[in-house]
Amino acid sequence: MQMYLLALNPTDSVTEGFLPAARRLGLAVTVLTDQPAAHLAVTGGAYDGVEVTECPVRDFRAVVSLVSARGRPDAVFSNSDHLQVQTALAADYFGLPGKDWRAALRTKDKAEMRRRLAAAPAPAYVPVRAAEVPAGQDPQAVLAAADVPFPCVVKPREGVASEDVVLVAEWAELIARCAQIRARRPGEALVVEEFVHGSLHTLETLGDGRTRRVLGGFRTQLSAPPYFIEERLTWQPDLPEPLVAEVLAQLDVLGAGFGACHTEFVVSRGRARVVEVNYRAIGDQCDLLLAELLGVPLFERILRVHLGEPLPPDEWPAPARAGVLAYPYARTAGTLTAAPGPEDAETDGVRLAYRPLRAVGTRQPVHHTNRDLLGVVRATGRDQATVDRVVDAFVAARTWEITA
């Protein structure tokens, strides 16, 4: 069976998750990418036996043309935020299981997502107030009539990884931030939305087009305002059912029910208010931890639904284990002159894996986003207190040094 996997830059989700899963399923895989050299340079055998082909993957017409010339595939798949619409259109063209391109567009376009959720009749949730600043339009003129209270958050309409997402407290700061983001991202539309006070969580789901299964979620610890860097995620297998129901109701309005979906939401005054929906599996190695915590072949399950197979009804045990991901990150710009190498350890029943994300000698700017992460600590154990203690001790005993 032949699968085409659309990708931009290489990610751990693909190299450590989906490609090994495809190999175990016996699939022939062709990676379509606009960065073939980067994928071919991946070490560790992740691409052994996998064809890497250059393709302008942001253009669904180019994808359809290339694939069609090779014969009808069995699956077209992507785990990239940027490529869900293109992948959905290509899968639909070939009559293959896949996501509705409209749902992929609604989740990628944050302004359209807010409009869709706000327009739903009698919603079983509290929409977040938001306004769009279209490309080329003056933020002052657009936002003067907007019903968005302070403090508020300004972000690119189709951004990822908390890039150029910032909290602002008053009007002059909002206009200045819009100008700064526009200078870095000329021609991009922006979204300004109310800041929702509360605790940040995720909900991870997987659907086959008929059944949608809630896999669990994480509690997210963020850096201090005004930025939103993810510092730590703690496994939450049993989110309160009313909150889950509110999140699922919002996903239903968006039409996001097929394949993997990673939703971020804030619990505010007992209500679940969606921050954003990433219509793919959770990243930054959280998916690797999720597969370990669930004790099921998660990546294979995701690929199987794209091959048209139903989700198994009896393969999802309630995990009793605890889990944490912690992210050392750069606070200042400079050269990374000291950092630990990859490590696997077991202490007090806690299995821990550390993987660096930046090599010593790398020049590291400060983005105030998840791109500042220097490494990932993944840990699982019997109880949360022990896992937290072991992770904290591991991080405290190691040094990440940045020299200006």
Side-chain angles (χ1 to χ4, degrees), residues 18 206 215 281 287-288 290-291 294 296-303 316:
F18 289 109
L206 176 59
L215 307 179
D287 46 0
L288 302 176
L290 181 60
L294 293 174
V296 300
L298 177 62
F299 294 97
E300 287 94 324
R301 287 289 164 247
I302 295 172
L303 294 181
W316 306 91

Side-chain angles (χ1 to χ4, degrees), residues 202-274:
T202 84
L203 188 73
E204 314 306 324
T205 58
L206 176 59
D208 60 12
R210 297 166 294 275
T211 301
R212 178 175 54 198
R213 193 169 301 278
V214 173
L215 307 179
F218 294 89
R219 168 76 178 267
T220 304
Q221 176 183 312
L222 295 174
S223 60
Y227 303 108
F228 298 88
I229 304 170
E230 294 178 350
E231 296 183 336
R232 193 180 190 107
L233 281 85
T234 301
W235 174 235
Q236 288 186 302
D238 299 313
L239 291 162
E241 194 56 42
L243 297 178
V244 172
E246 282 191 290
V247 175
L248 294 180
Q250 293 170 81
L251 294 180
D252 287 341
V253 169
L254 298 172
F258 183 88
C261 188
H262 162 58
T263 305
E264 299 179 6
F265 66 98
V266 170
V267 177
S268 178
R269 298 181 180 179
R271 305 298 298 272
R273 307 187 72 188
V274 165

Side-chain angles (χ1 to χ4, degrees), residues 38-392:
H39 285 267
L40 290 170
V42 172
T43 59
Y47 286 78
D48 287 352
V50 174
E51 180 186 15
V52 177
T53 299
E54 185 170 9
C55 178
V57 284
R58 293 179 187 268
D59 183 350
F60 76 92
R61 295 162 297 186
V63 173
V64 167
S65 179
L66 188 153
V67 173
S68 180
R70 294 168 165 233
R72 186 180 184 277
D74 297 289
V76 180
F77 172 77
S78 179
N79 199 56
S80 168
D81 274 313
H82 302 283
L83 302 177
Q84 292 303 320
V85 173
Q86 297 88 333
T87 303
L89 287 167
D92 185 60
Y93 181 86
F94 291 107
L96 300 171
K99 296 170 180 175
D100 183 339
W101 71 267
R102 300 167 189 82
L105 177 63
R106 292 175 197 133
T107 54
K108 176 61 176 170
D109 182 329
K110 295 175 176 62
E112 180 62 17
M113 180 189 77
R114 292 297 180 209
R115 286 191 291 264
R116 188 80 178 188
L117 292 174
Y125 50 85
V126 182
V128 174
R129 285 176 287 178
E132 179 182 9
V133 183
Q137 293 195 19
D138 178 15
Q140 293 196 64
V142 173
L143 296 173
D147 180 29
V148 180
F150 289 101
C152 60
V153 178
V154 59
K155 61 179 70 172
R157 187 183 66 189
E158 300 184 33
V160 296
S162 299
E163 291 185 352
D164 283 318
V165 180
V166 62
L167 179 69
V168 297
E170 46 84 26
W171 177 257
E173 184 185 10
L174 172 59
I175 300 307
R177 290 293 191 180
C178 287
Q180 292 168 5
I181 297 171
R182 280 273 178 83
R184 288 188 290 270
R185 297 168 173 261
E188 285 203 30
L190 305 177
V191 171
V192 177
E193 58 189 38
E194 68 172 297
F195 174 68
V196 182
H197 295 271
S199 55
L200 181 61
H201 305 257
T202 84
L203 188 73
E204 314 306 324
T205 58
L206 176 59
D208 60 12
R210 297 166 294 275
T211 301
R212 178 175 54 198
R213 193 169 301 278
V214 173
L215 307 179
F218 294 89
R219 168 76 178 267
T220 304
Q221 176 183 312
L222 295 174
S223 60
Y227 303 108
F228 298 88
I229 304 170
E230 294 178 350
E231 296 183 336
R232 193 180 190 107
L233 281 85
T234 301
W235 174 235
Q236 288 186 302
D238 299 313
L239 291 162
E241 194 56 42
L243 297 178
V244 172
E246 282 191 290
V247 175
L248 294 180
Q250 293 170 81
L251 294 180
D252 287 341
V253 169
L254 298 172
F258 183 88
C261 188
H262 162 58
T263 305
E264 299 179 6
F265 66 98
V266 170
V267 177
S268 178
R269 298 181 180 179
R271 305 298 298 272
R273 307 187 72 188
V274 165
V275 174
E276 66 178 45
V277 178
N278 302 120
Y279 207 2
R280 41 84 176 159
I282 188 172
D284 292 327
Q285 298 194 19
C286 293
D287 46 0
L288 302 176
L289 181 69
L290 181 60
E292 182 178 351
L293 288 164
L294 293 174
V296 300
L298 177 62
F299 294 97
E300 287 94 324
R301 287 289 164 247
I302 295 172
L303 294 181
R304 283 183 183 277
V305 301
H306 285 266
L307 292 165
E309 298 183 24
L311 290 173
D314 56 355
E315 198 185 19
W316 306 91
R321 296 174 65 77
V324 159
L325 295 106
Y327 300 103
Y329 64 94
R331 267 76 166 181
T332 59
T335 300
L336 184 62
T337 52
E343 188 173 345
D344 294 278
E346 185 163 346
T347 304
D348 296 339
V350 175
R351 293 177 55 190
L352 184 147
Y354 173 74
R355 297 294 180 266
L357 296 177
R358 300 288 182 268
V360 172
T362 299
R363 181 70 184 175
Q364 178 66 43
V366 172
H367 303 280
H368 302 297
T369 76
N370 288 2
R371 299 196 188 282
D372 296 335
L373 305 184
L374 301 175
V376 184
V377 182
R378 302 197 314 261
T380 60
R382 293 183 298 273
D383 66 274
Q384 196 61 56
T386 304
V387 171
D388 288 337
R389 175 174 55 78
V390 170
V391 168
D392 291 343

